[in-house]
Amino acid sequence: MRYESPATTKEAVALLAQEKGNARILAGGTDLLVRMKSGLDEPALVVDIKKIPDMTAIKKTTNGFKIGAGVSGARLGANKDLCKAWPGVVEATNLIGSDQIQGRATMVGNLCNASPAADSVPAMIAAGAKAVVVGKAGRRTVPVEKIVTGPGSTSLDKGDVIEAITLPKANKRTGDAYLRFTPRTEMDIAVVGVGISLTIERGVIKKARVALGAVAPTAILVPSAARAITGTKLDEEALDKLAAACSKACNPIDDKRGTAAYRIRVAGVLSKRAAKIAYARAGGAA
Amino acid sequence: MRWMKPPWNLRLVRVSLNGALRSGVGGAAFIDVEAATIRELLSRLIERYPDMQAQLDRGIAVAIDGVVFRDDWSQPLPLGAEVVLMPRIEGG
Amino acid sequence: MSGAELVTTKINGDVVEFACPTDEVLLDSLRDRVGLTGVKEGCGTGDCGACSVTMDGQLVCSCLVLGVEANGADIGTVEGLSDGNELHPLQQQFIDNAALQCGICTPGFLVSAKALLDNNPNPTETQIRYALAGNLCRCTGYDKIVKAVQAAAKDMRKSKQSKAKRK
Amino acid sequence: MTHDNSYTGQKFKVIGNRFKRPDGVDKVTGRARYGADASAPGQLVGLVLRSPHAHAKIKKIDTSKAEKLPGVKAIITSDDLPDLTGGARDMANILENCMARGRALYDGHAVAAVAAVDNQTARKALKLINVSYQVLPHVTDVDEALKEDAPVIHDWVYTGGLDPKPTTPSNAANRTQMGHGDVDAGFAAADVIVEHTYKTEQTHQGYIEPHACLATVSPDGSAEMWVTTQGPFTYRTVCATLLGLDIAKLKVTSSEIGGGFGGKTHVWMEPLALALSRKTNRPVKMVMTRDEVFRASGPTASTSIDVKIGAKKNGKITAATLEMRYQGGAFPGPWAMLACMTGFACYNIENQRSVGWDVIVNRPKVAAYRAPSAPMAAFAVESALDIVAERIGMDAVDLRLKNVAKEGTQAPYGPIYGPIGIEAALKAVKKHPHYKARLQKGQGRGVACGFWFNIGGQTCVDLNIGTDGTVNLAVGTVDVGGARSSMAMIAAEELGISYDDVRVSVADTASLGHNDTTEGSRGTFSSGMATIFAARDAINVLRERAAKMLDVPVEDVVWQDGEARATGKGHGNLPVLSLKDIAGKSANTGGPIAGHNEVVADGAGMGFAAHICDVEVDNETGLATVARYTVVQDAGKAIHPDYVEGQFQGAAAQGIGWALNEEYVYGADGRLQNAGFLDYRIPVCSDLPFIDTQILEIPNPNHPYGIRGVGETSIVPPLGAVNNAIASAAGVRMKHAPMSPIRVLDALDEASVESQVSAG
């Protein structure tokens, strides 16, 4: 196996594009190294992106935030501005694994691993996050929900690298939240995950985005759930409609971590709880 | 009293058996054996019930008045003692 | 055959050089090439924390880091916790509180607990429990471990105060 | 020399204190050496190829490609191991579990092993071994395995314990029955009868240290093995027998052991390491991955249990029965029998019957797990007892007290109990502040009891006194949780010296006589007994030496508080000699001073516990969280209270994990789906509260200090305690453990449907 740690995104793209064998990007490595240990993945080339300055920075931009692909969960959690603007996204990322995992794991890695249960992904989708993809054809921006196409597969081409994730500028009246259900308090994989972001005006929800994880082959954006609460003050009726829309949008399977029926049911339960947190964060009165 | 004591003039010990061990003695819940120690008890048992050998090989223990002996076969069997043959147990 | 690279790194304050296959994880490099067998493998998949080390001050599972990534980094392991002859307060309190039974998870717990207390000198019980959630212990039920960390935190705060006073 | 093992009620100076463990510094500095921490010059790495099928005929194993890979030194299959199938079945089974012979019997079953110069090469070699399998029908569920259309796994297994003897092979290896009285009459006399079926899923001991060994076999037939084990002497006997080595020529050294809980009482890949080393004449190191530990080292049984309890309105139990099915994995085991012996052990039930079926399935061979088989039976019994209490309107603890076993009660397995502690434990529960504390909203409280026999067994120790008066004690039971500290305390107590003057080590098999495996909570009981006797032997030698130094008859010398003093007429002005004085002159009084003891430590004291558990249930997700937990257990005598508490807490935590989330999940293909710590969910630190403990000390009459074993009992009550707490919090009575969120939510759904139906 060849190990490379280029200093620029351009070099990384070139290395990946040139490699004839199996090439992998190493960000946090918390998924890749596990697959390598079990023999599921035997890359001929590993490109470590953590020496690329653009990929290891959290930048405040005029449009919001740009978070490098190599930024770990621990660094995300330590960034006060980001925690204030997008607490749901930060919390979701910080739920991945232990403090040890947080020292390495990245949002982009979580996204590109393409697990339906990735914690950061529904939160990113709800927040309207976009991926900055660099490939042979240059740089392009892709909504996060368009990256993953199925368990273990993405829309990225060979040689494509996600350089960063962008988050929009957060409005004072915007709040986001992510909740997941796991049997253990920590060190667990989501059985269901719900990310919600919403913007209110005088207590009324003007805009909302609701995304679910672990209930379909990919994390999904659920417009019907957003519609259920838009224009409401998140009263009981709206919450019940939200829960029903979320449950309806689920297309889950039975697996070792949970049954389809359980996931459908709990998606509704968690959506209500997450919505209440997001609403309060947006300044709405409970 | 759970059962009648054996007659005192013989050095008989009444041994009760549990579980699978009973199948080795034709299903009896207890038998009377003339024995002064665990070792004698076991030899008499095998003489009378050759099927017991397999059970013994699998491992047994003898409880004398509630105290379980797994290995010390020289233990005396006091007259009138409550003697129970049981499977040998291990643990975690 | 796998490629190999020469890695120069600082481990517990000493500069160390070793060659390792590029696909070897830091855990194996530390154990098999540097001889630091205090770093334990419980799972190899980042789920038990027995291999916890710090890398440039950040707590990580060494089973989820490539050995070659340690090039130029500063690594801290359980072997570097004590100050010469003097045990770290966490080490001392783990012994005093009987916070270990079999001891296989202990090195990982100590490294994680130190990372916690370095960042948060006065953690609540809940904060301690969540900070140590990446370290599995099967012997103790965590009870005495949490108490040992609480006691060590107190010791460390006291010694910091007395040092400050002396200045 | 025989010693009296009766309890004497002696007053202690050292025992009962909380000393620092001698291996503490090594373990907090990373210096302690565990199974995988040893290496030898020229060592090879051994890896195992494992079956991906639950049940398959092995048609052919082609190793030719792998053998040609540079760096590969040896490959073995069952063809390279002795064929024991004609001999004693138990040894043949052990070997067949270590390496499949003709058939792979479970997902993870070893089919070949490789020794190569390094891990990378060995991994490549495994991929180059070509095994042709013919997949056979499999069965992994204990109830399915007993159905008529289930594939019969072994043609040599005929159900034992049946009359007449069966004529066709079966997956039921054995039927066991225990009990006494007339259950039919008992049930006829009952006012209330509760009858339910409970299921428990398979759990693993989950020790953090995977199996690991370093084996060296020389062409002259001598061999050494460094290994993480609970029983170095047993490993020696078993490995030597399996491979045809001389027992005395195989030296087994137990490393520091990173947890065992019963899982390190059986051999797994150790015979393969020896066989590879014999073939290559090089040291071979083998370390299991976590995946291998889960798939191929013994978990505990999954079970299905019918319980029936009849009681009078006043709470008196008139009859009780258990019909239990325990799967032992791919080979017969004693597991249902142990369940029959323990199920009703906490209670005085005049009419009782326990029937157990040991069942063979396509899963890894079951090994002992802390109080093996008892927690599942107790889950059924303790859950059913709470239902009885509810039906007759009686407090659940009072119901237990009304029927509690006491001195004089007949145990389910026959004998009459001596002094035991379950009544005291239940009374302590009623008085405990936890039991009286107010519950928060959404919380419920449950109580449950547990029993474990505890055992003794063959034990020997060597106690050697140095010329400066410090003492070395070599024991043959391993130290899984602070035992060296307890042994040093016992030696110090007897000799009348300071704890710090005693150093305890775990001896290898070449340095000490046979010691039974450290299992069954026997370590402190047995080695403690042997240490007391060895110290007393040493004291006799010390008295002899002092008599020589003082020129008085030995009968005139007494040993008191670590000193020899001459008593009697005319000796008043003679000096008092300390152990150090006598040791310093030992060269001139007869040479080294030592005490030895070899003993069969019989008369182990039964262990009983009662637990209090508070849980909080999230009714919308089914998530149950333990909010508060208290263990009350009889230790006989707590030698080192810290480590007694540690055993209580650790056992309770394992039981809570079992109760809530731990389980083996098998797919329809018969493969284990969660062979890792991510999806096999043992409790993490943030899942648990502090675990309160109360140590009771009801002396075991058959130990000089009154010691009972303490290690296992407290894994028995948690399943029942958690279930009873869930019932109190959420109003549903679970019948299937673990009581995971999905199962609890299902139960809540069923309950709400039922209440709607009954309301409509």
Side-chain angles (χ1 to χ4, degrees):
Chain A
M1 184 190 100
R2 199 152 60 95
Y3 168 84
E4 298 285 354
S5 51
T8 66
T9 306
K10 205 174 157 188
E11 283 174 60
V13 171
L15 281 163
L16 291 163
Q18 282 156 19
E19 176 60 41
K20 298 219 163 57
N22 181 11
R24 292 283 169 194
I25 298 168
L26 174 67
T30 53
D31 288 311
L32 177 64
L33 268 55
V34 173
R35 283 206 309 273
M36 282 166 60
K37 166 131 188 146
S38 68
L40 285 175
D41 212 333
E42 289 179 322
L45 169 70
V46 160
V47 178
D48 183 353
I49 56 157
K50 292 190 296 295
K51 302 275 158 62
I52 303 171
D54 276 347
M55 294 224 203
T56 49
I58 302 175
K59 285 181 195 152
K60 225 173 157 178
T61 63
T62 46
N63 300 324
F65 292 90
K66 189 174 175 191
I67 301 154
V71 173
S72 68
R75 285 192 49 213
L76 215 61
N79 188 304
K80 285 189 180 128
D81 290 339
L82 199 59
C83 289
K84 203 176 157 200
W86 294 105
V89 174
V90 176
E91 281 166 2
T93 310
N94 288 169
L95 278 172
I96 306 164
S98 57
D99 281 9
Q100 286 88 331
I101 300 296
Q102 283 297 309
R104 300 268 296 168
T106 66
M107 283 200 292
V108 170
N110 198 219
L111 175 65
C112 294
N113 187 51
S115 157
D119 283 309
S120 69
V121 178
M124 281 197 280
I125 293 175
K130 292 187 170 67
V132 179
V133 182
V134 184
K136 279 175 284 184
R139 215 172 232 92
R140 63 190 193 273
T141 302
V142 182
V144 164
E145 57 269 31
K146 303 275 191 218
I147 297 289
V148 181
T149 53
S153 67
T154 68
S155 59
L156 299 175
D157 289 331
K158 185 174 160 65
D160 278 354
V161 178
I162 296 183
E163 187 182 51
I165 294 289
T166 62
L167 285 167
K169 207 168 179 174
N171 185 314
K172 248 189 205 162
R173 293 269 174 253
T174 298
D176 79 329
Y178 173 80
L179 287 179
R180 68 169 186 186
F181 182 80
T182 56
R184 287 194 291 195
T185 48
E186 280 277 313
M187 299 303 292
D188 222 331
I189 302 291
V191 180
V192 178
V194 181
I196 295 184
S197 90
L198 47 82
T199 306
I200 63 171
E201 259 175 46
R202 288 188 208 90
V204 177
I205 296 169
K206 287 289 164 193
K207 258 190 352 200
R209 280 170 72 89
V210 179
L212 299 175
V215 296
T218 68
I220 49 172
L221 184 65
V222 188
S224 59
R227 282 196 298 275
I229 52 171
T230 306
T232 75
K233 289 189 170 182
L234 207 64
D235 48 75
E236 282 305 315
E237 193 192 336
L239 285 166
D240 286 343
K241 280 185 181 161
L242 167 71
C246 285
S247 291
K248 199 174 170 212
C250 295
N251 177 24
I253 53 165
D254 286 338
D255 69 7
K256 63 188 169 190
R257 294 177 184 135
T259 59
Y262 185 84
R263 291 184 154 111
I264 291 169
R265 171 88 169 271
V266 173
V269 172
L270 288 195
S271 69
K272 289 177 163 185
R273 295 180 184 180
K276 284 183 193 168
I277 298 169
Y279 187 71
R281 281 177 177 165
Chain B
M1 267 303 91
R2 247 164 287 274
W3 54 70
M4 293 284 293
K5 293 280 184 201
W8 296 120
N9 55 347
L10 278 176
R11 185 135 180 75
L12 281 180
V13 183
R14 180 153 287 182
V15 184
S16 52
L17 299 98
N18 250 297
L21 291 171
R22 276 186 199 165
S23 61
V25 296
F30 56 84
I31 46 172
D32 293 339
V33 183
E34 193 179 354
T37 63
I38 294 180
R39 184 173 294 102
E40 283 182 26
L41 163 70
L42 298 178
S43 348
R44 298 287 128 76
L45 270 177
I46 294 166
E47 280 167 24
R48 264 162 69 185
Y49 306 100
D51 279 2
M52 282 301 287
Q53 187 63 53
Q55 306 279 8
L56 258 56
D57 291 345
R58 214 168 288 150
I60 59 117
V62 179
I64 306 171
D65 288 331
V67 182
V68 179
F69 296 91
R70 299 200 319 160
D71 297 288
D72 186 357
W73 289 6
S74 300
Q75 275 299 322
L77 303 175
L79 273 178
E82 180 244 355
V83 178
V84 182
L85 210 58
M86 52 186 263
R88 184 189 166 93
I89 48 124
E90 284 165 5
Chain C
M1 293 305 281
S2 295
E5 280 198 17
L6 192 66
V7 174
T8 307
T9 176
K10 204 184 241 184
I11 303 177
N12 300 326
D14 297 325
V15 176
V16 175
E17 233 178 49
F18 58 88
C20 76
T22 48
D23 60 355
E24 179 173 285
V25 292
L26 179 60
L27 167 63
D28 291 340
S29 307
L30 290 173
R31 286 179 57 84
D32 300 340
R33 305 193 193 276
V34 190
L36 295 177
T37 54
V39 189
K40 302 299 180 193
E41 174 163 350
C43 68
T45 50
D47 301 315
C48 80
C51 68
S52 297
V53 301
T54 55
M55 187 166 163
D56 296 328
Q58 180 66 56
L59 182 68
V60 298
C61 285
S62 59
C63 71
L64 293 185
V65 177
L66 291 176
V68 290
E69 288 185 82
N71 203 9
D74 198 336
I75 306 292
T77 74
V78 69
E79 285 93 345
L81 275 189
S82 52
D83 182 5
N85 214 4
E86 201 173 314
L87 293 180
H88 187 278
L90 276 161
Q91 292 174 310
Q92 192 60 54
Q93 288 294 356
F94 265 60
I95 296 175
D96 294 355
N97 282 277
L100 54 142
Q101 285 180 32
C102 83
I104 192 87
C105 68
T106 308
F109 267 99
L110 289 168
V111 171
S112 298
K114 181 173 181 293
L116 165 68
L117 298 185
D118 285 348
N119 286 320
N120 179 359
N122 193 8
T124 62
E125 183 204 331
T126 304
Q127 285 171 331
I128 293 171
R129 287 190 181 276
Y130 276 84
L132 299 180
N135 293 82
L136 297 182
C137 170
R138 194 60 160 168
C139 293
T140 64
Y142 305 103
D143 187 286
K144 291 180 193 297
I145 291 176
V146 174
K147 283 174 182 151
V149 174
Q150 288 175 326
K154 206 170 162 191
D155 287 351
M156 287 164 74
R157 290 196 303 274
K158 260 194 211 152
S159 86
K160 210 172 176 185
Q161 274 168 7
S162 62
K163 266 183 206 160
K165 264 186 204 161
R166 261 182 273 144
K167 278 179 191 166
Chain D
M1 173 172 243
T2 56
H3 291 270
D4 184 3
N5 66 345
S6 311
Y7 175 66
T8 58
Q10 102 190 53
K11 293 274 170 279
F12 296 120
K13 289 184 174 157
V14 181
I15 301 305
N17 287 297
R18 296 169 190 255
F19 288 101
K20 288 170 198 175
R21 60 192 290 163
D23 51 333
V25 172
D26 277 356
K27 285 182 173 167
V28 300
T29 54
R31 287 202 293 264
R33 290 166 75 235
Y34 291 82
D37 297 340
S39 47
Q43 90 187 8
L44 302 173
V45 172
L47 291 181
V48 175
L49 183 70
R50 297 186 180 279
S51 165
H53 303 295
H55 194 193
K57 190 176 168 199
I58 299 167
K59 286 171 19 193
K60 194 179 172 214
I61 304 177
D62 181 0
T63 59
S64 56
K65 272 190 197 155
E67 274 158 10
K68 283 186 198 126
L69 186 71
V72 170
K73 300 296 176 188
I75 298 176
I76 57 169
T77 68
S78 62
D79 289 346
D80 300 271
L81 297 168
D83 185 353
L84 304 178
T85 42
R89 196 66 239 186
D90 56 345
M91 278 294 153
N93 287 350
I94 292 173
L95 189 60
E96 190 175 346
N97 185 53
C98 294
M99 181 69 85
R101 180 171 287 276
R103 265 188 316 149
L105 298 169
Y106 54 90
D107 167 38
H109 199 172
V111 296
V114 170
V117 289
D118 58 24
N119 192 53
Q120 276 94 345
T121 309
R123 278 181 65 149
K124 269 188 199 149
L126 289 188
K127 291 200 165 171
L128 294 174
I129 298 173
N130 192 0
V131 186
S132 343
Y133 293 102
Q134 178 193 337
V135 176
L136 300 170
H138 68 270
V139 60
T140 55
D141 180 83
V142 62
D143 287 328
E144 295 292 324
L146 291 176
K147 289 187 177 162
E148 270 189 18
D149 56 351
V152 175
I153 294 166
H154 296 297
D155 60 9
W156 49 268
V157 171
Y158 294 82
T159 310
L162 291 184
D163 194 25
K165 286 183 178 162
T167 53
T168 50
S170 162
N171 289 331
N174 256 306
R175 179 190 182 276
T176 309
Q177 184 174 326
M178 299 267 166
H180 45 257
D182 181 341
V183 293
D184 293 334
F187 283 122
D191 295 322
V192 168
I193 293 176
V194 165
E195 193 173 5
H196 292 290
T197 298
Y198 290 83
K199 282 197 88 142
T200 68
E201 293 301 329
Q202 186 156 33
T203 58
H204 194 276
Q205 298 83 350
Y207 32 82
I208 307 301
E209 180 200 28
H211 298 275
C213 67
L214 172 61
T216 311
V217 182
S218 301
D220 65 3
S222 65
E224 287 188 17
M225 185 160 64
W226 164 272
V227 59
T228 175
T229 173
Q230 291 174 248
F233 295 91
T234 309
Y235 271 38
R236 176 179 66 164
T237 308
V238 171
C239 289
T241 308
L242 294 180
L243 298 171
L245 298 164
D246 292 339
I247 285 181
K249 286 188 193 159
L250 171 57
K251 178 171 115 178
V252 176
T253 306
S254 81
S255 68
E256 289 295 340
I257 171 169
F261 315 110
K264 290 176 184 165
T265 62
H266 307 232
V267 298
W268 308 104
M269 80 304 182
E270 294 80 5
L272 306 183
L274 287 162
L276 284 168
S277 178
R278 180 156 67 179
K279 198 166 176 182
T280 55
N281 191 20
R282 299 262 296 260
V284 173
K285 182 167 170 176
M286 294 184 87
V287 182
M288 276 197 188
T289 62
R290 179 55 54 183
D291 174 86
E292 289 179 289
V293 172
F294 276 113
R295 285 167 70 209
S297 76
T300 188
S302 57
T303 72
S304 154
I305 299 171
D306 310 325
V307 61
K308 185 175 173 186
I309 299 176
K312 291 277 195 196
K313 276 183 191 144
N314 67 6
K316 185 70 204 157
I317 295 171
T318 56
T321 59
L322 283 165
E323 177 101 10
M324 303 182 275
R325 296 155 295 276
Y326 276 55
Q327 61 84 4
F331 298 96
W335 311 116
M337 178 195 81
L338 288 172
C340 289
M341 296 169 79
T342 62
F344 293 126
C346 292
Y347 304 103
N348 178 17
I349 301 173
E350 205 181 321
N351 306 302
Q352 59 170 291
R353 183 180 66 221
S354 298
V355 173
W357 298 87
D358 276 300
V359 183
I360 294 170
V361 299
N362 295 111
R363 293 198 190 203
K365 184 182 97 165
V366 162
Y369 176 20
R370 206 169 199 158
S373 299
M376 307 79 138
F379 172 57
V381 171
E382 295 296 317
S383 301
L385 281 176
D386 263 39
I387 301 176
V388 171
E390 186 186 63
R391 292 271 294 276
I392 61 176
M394 190 170 181
D395 175 80
V397 177
D398 288 338
L399 174 80
R400 286 173 171 81
L401 273 167
K402 175 129 191 145
N403 296 284
V404 77
K406 298 175 190 177
E407 184 167 2
T409 298
Q410 188 178 10
Y413 50 96
I416 309 292
Y417 289 131
I420 54 170
I422 186 60
E423 185 178 27
L426 280 167
K427 285 185 170 163
V429 160
K430 284 197 84 168
K431 277 197 215 138
H432 199 282
H434 178 179
Y435 190 69
K436 295 176 184 164
R438 269 188 60 175
L439 287 164
Q440 314 257 312
K441 201 175 163 237
Q443 291 184 344
R445 179 167 298 149
V447 171
C449 298
F451 159 85
W452 184 249
F453 311 88
N454 300 329
I455 63 169
Q458 301 184 72
T459 311
C460 62
V461 305
D462 266 2
L463 187 152
N464 289 289
I465 299 175
T467 49
D468 63 352
T470 60
V471 173
N472 275 125
L473 178 69
V475 299
T477 49
V478 307
D479 183 350
V480 209
R484 273 166 289 199
S485 212
S486 304
M487 292 307 119
M489 289 168 75
I490 291 171
E493 184 77 52
E494 283 299 316
L495 294 169
I497 58 175
S498 137
Y499 169 78
D500 291 325
D501 285 343
V502 185
R503 198 72 188 173
V504 182
S505 54
V506 177
D508 62 58
T509 60
S511 313
L512 205 59
H514 175 86
N515 275 265
D516 284 344
T517 299
T518 312
E519 63 184 357
S521 303
R522 78 175 211 93
T524 307
F525 170 78
S526 309
S527 281
M529 190 186 284
T531 300
I532 291 168
F533 297 157
R536 289 178 185 173
D537 278 3
I539 287 169
N540 284 335
V541 178
L542 287 162
R543 284 175 52 233
E544 284 165 16
R545 303 300 178 84
K548 283 185 186 169
M549 288 168 74
L550 299 171
D551 200 17
V552 299
V554 66
E555 303 79 58
D556 290 358
V557 179
V558 296
W559 189 261
Q560 235 172 34
D561 300 331
E563 290 169 331
R565 59 183 82 229
T567 56
K569 256 190 211 158
H571 301 337
N573 52 358
L574 288 175
V576 172
L577 297 175
S578 70
L579 187 147
K580 196 172 171 179
D581 297 333
I582 303 167
K585 295 276 185 259
S586 59
N588 310 112
T589 59
I593 301 173
H596 307 279
N597 186 252
E598 295 84 34
V599 67
V600 173
D602 274 322
M606 285 87 187
F608 288 90
H611 291 194
I612 318 168
C613 171
D614 292 357
V615 303
E616 207 166 294
V617 175
D618 180 340
N619 281 323
E620 290 185 315
T621 63
L623 181 73
T625 309
V626 174
R628 188 171 176 182
Y629 204 94
T630 301
V631 173
V632 182
Q633 186 178 327
D634 175 18
K637 176 69 203 171
I639 301 301
H640 192 311
D642 274 346
Y643 292 105
V644 172
E645 290 162 7
Q647 289 296 322
F648 291 5
Q649 291 164 334
Q654 284 185 319
I656 292 169
W658 195 341
L660 293 178
N661 285 311
E662 291 181 35
E663 65 178 305
Y664 269 37
V665 180
Y666 276 87
D669 57 359
R671 300 196 65 189
L672 182 61
Q673 300 200 340
N674 59 336
F677 277 141
L678 184 60
D679 286 309
Y680 181 88
R681 300 175 175 114
I682 80 173
V684 301
C685 194
S686 45
D687 289 336
L688 293 173
F690 284 120
I691 296 169
D692 201 1
T693 57
Q694 185 178 346
I695 302 173
L696 303 181
E697 293 188 328
I698 295 153
N700 172 8
N702 305 304
H703 190 286
Y705 289 4
I707 296 173
R708 297 170 191 272
V710 298
E712 294 167 287
T713 307
S714 270
I715 198 175
V716 183
L719 283 99
V722 167
N723 192 11
N724 293 336
I726 288 174
S728 141
V732 291
R733 296 203 177 269
M734 303 299 297
K735 305 277 162 42
H736 193 166
M739 294 162 271
S740 59
I742 293 173
R743 294 199 181 103
V744 172
L745 196 64
D746 279 349
L748 283 165
D749 278 353
E750 274 170 36
S752 81
V753 170
E754 276 165 27
S755 69
Q756 278 165 11
V757 169
S758 60

